[in-house]
Amino acid sequence: MSPLFKRFFIMALITLVVPTGLPAQDKEILAKVGTRKITQSDLNRLISFHEPEQQKMIEKNPQVKEALLWQMIRSMVVADSARKKSFDKKPEVRAQQEIMINNFLAAMYLQKEVVEKVTVNEEKARTYYKDNLDAFRTPETIRARHILIKTDPEAKEEDKKKTKEKAEGVLKKLKEGADFAKLATEFSDDPGTKDKGGDLDFFPKGSMVPAFEEAAFALKPGEISGLVETEYGYHIIKLEEKKEAFLEPYEKIKETVKEKALQDLKKEAVTNFVEKAMKEARVEVFSEKLAKPQK
């Protein structure tokens, strides 16, 4: 779908679904296209097609509302041009119209008749919390510093040896009592942490490359690793602090729990509704035919 088509997509659906040329009962006329009037009610209807959060944003921004109004006008004008040329009578266009109407009708029906009827009370929220405790655990995190002596994968063996010797030299200084942060500022090849003394701040498992992460989480606070080789080069890691994993209490995050429960229950409701409807419709799909070349 081209960007231009996306721009007119919602408007085209409105043109297909809502009859045109009806007399406007709304006194708040926002625009006229020939003899037709676009009213505040028309604009409100368009705004209601957006997600709730988007609706709030639109309502607070007159410029966005004006942009939507102009979008509606342009869509009507272009659609009129298409009808004058009988473009809407072409078989391929009518077939596409039916697909668009089905998509739009299905989306609106699910939103109004399924999604918006899902609610979460205190009891449901507490049950959801108890059934999904792992989702509300703050994982173990550590704060570490590192010094990176970068290696070039294309470098000659002699140059790689010199790079490793440089890293070993830095490690020797650390073992002799040199300040880690000062050496990181002086020697590290990591531009993101070099000027911060190699400080990586707190991070959980899964955020670093495996070899680095394994070495870092194996350290005790204050300990310094040996050379840790990764695709980036040689690292020397110092563990500064460790925070154990803990479960956030329900009362502290009850609003977050309710929102997460609501979203999951909405998804579940849609899935259940669609599966039931598909079963009742006795749907049959012959996937094997998709692999055959089209004639």
Side-chain angles (χ1 to χ4, degrees):
M1 186 182 292
S2 71
L4 182 60
F5 189 75
K6 285 181 180 178
R7 185 177 179 183
F8 288 125
F9 184 68
I10 292 179
M11 307 313 304
L13 287 173
I14 294 172
T15 303
L16 292 169
V17 176
V18 181
T20 59
L22 297 178
Q25 302 298 322
D26 195 321
K27 294 181 179 180
E28 294 186 66
I29 298 171
L30 303 180
K32 292 182 179 180
V33 178
T35 60
R36 286 172 298 169
K37 300 170 184 177
I38 299 176
T39 68
Q40 183 65 54
S41 294
D42 295 326
L43 183 60
N44 290 343
R45 188 180 302 110
L46 171 59
I47 294 172
S48 72
F49 293 153
H50 292 75
E51 294 293 328
E53 287 303 314
Q54 290 179 314
Q55 291 182 37
K56 293 177 184 177
M57 182 275 291
I58 293 169
E59 288 295 346
K60 294 178 182 178
N61 195 325
Q63 291 180 324
V64 175
K65 286 197 278 190
E66 184 176 357
L68 286 175
L69 175 61
W70 276 107
Q71 188 178 13
M72 182 182 290
I73 293 168
R74 284 191 290 269
S75 180
M76 289 178 67
V77 170
V78 174
D80 285 345
S81 298
R83 292 189 189 94
K84 287 176 183 178
K85 297 287 187 180
S86 297
F87 196 78
D88 57 324
K89 301 296 192 296
K90 291 187 175 185
E92 65 271 24
V93 174
R94 296 181 71 85
Q96 185 65 30
Q97 284 180 343
E98 184 176 358
I99 293 172
M100 292 171 69
I101 290 174
N102 284 341
N103 287 340
F104 181 73
L105 186 59
M108 290 299 295
Y109 184 79
L110 287 173
Q111 179 65 30
K112 298 296 182 182
E113 296 298 319
V114 180
V115 173
E116 291 183 7
K117 291 183 179 180
V118 176
T119 59
V120 173
N121 56 25
E122 184 72 11
E123 183 181 356
K124 284 184 179 180
R126 286 185 179 277
T127 299
Y128 181 86
Y129 176 78
K130 292 176 182 177
D131 291 343
N132 298 275
L133 292 179
D134 287 344
F136 304 106
R137 294 185 194 278
T138 296
E140 177 187 24
T141 58
I142 59 173
R143 181 183 178 188
R145 296 179 185 271
H146 84 135
I147 298 171
L148 170 64
I149 306 301
K150 194 173 181 180
T151 56
D152 181 0
E154 305 299 324
K156 296 178 181 179
E157 286 302 318
E158 184 178 342
D159 292 330
K160 289 182 180 180
K161 183 178 179 181
K162 288 180 180 179
T163 300
K164 186 174 183 180
E165 288 174 351
K166 178 182 177 181
E168 289 172 338
V170 174
L171 181 60
K172 185 173 183 293
K173 291 177 184 290
L174 290 168
K175 289 181 177 180
E176 292 173 350
D179 183 79
F180 194 100
K182 288 183 179 180
L183 289 187
T185 302
E186 183 178 354
F187 292 104
S188 183
D189 292 323
D190 179 4
T193 63
K194 177 182 178 72
D195 295 334
K196 298 187 295 182
D199 192 359
L200 291 163
D201 209 338
F202 283 95
F203 59 90
K205 288 183 178 179
S207 57
M208 300 290 181
V209 294
F212 183 98
E213 188 174 278
E214 184 179 352
F217 274 87
L219 296 171
K220 294 178 181 178
E223 281 188 336
I224 295 174
S225 72
L227 297 186
V228 179
E229 186 175 5
T230 71
E231 60 198 83
Y232 302 104
Y234 295 101
H235 304 260
I236 304 170
I237 308 167
K238 180 182 179 182
L239 184 65
E240 296 284 1
E241 190 177 349
K242 180 177 290 189
K243 291 182 179 179
E244 300 296 335
F246 68 94
L247 177 64
E248 294 280 5
Y250 174 78
E251 292 300 331
K252 183 179 178 181
I253 58 169
K254 63 192 308 183
E255 294 306 317
T256 300
V257 174
K258 286 180 180 179
E259 181 58 31
K260 187 166 177 54
L262 184 61
Q263 294 306 316
D264 282 2
L265 289 174
K266 284 179 178 179
K267 291 178 183 177
E268 183 181 348
V270 169
T271 298
N272 291 341
F273 179 89
V274 172
E275 287 181 352
K276 183 174 182 291
M278 296 278 278
K279 185 176 181 179
E280 291 175 351
R282 294 182 295 178
V283 173
E284 292 182 84
V285 179
F286 307 100
S287 303
E288 67 280 1
K289 294 183 179 180
L290 295 174
K292 295 180 180 180
Q294 298 294 310
K295 295 181 180 179

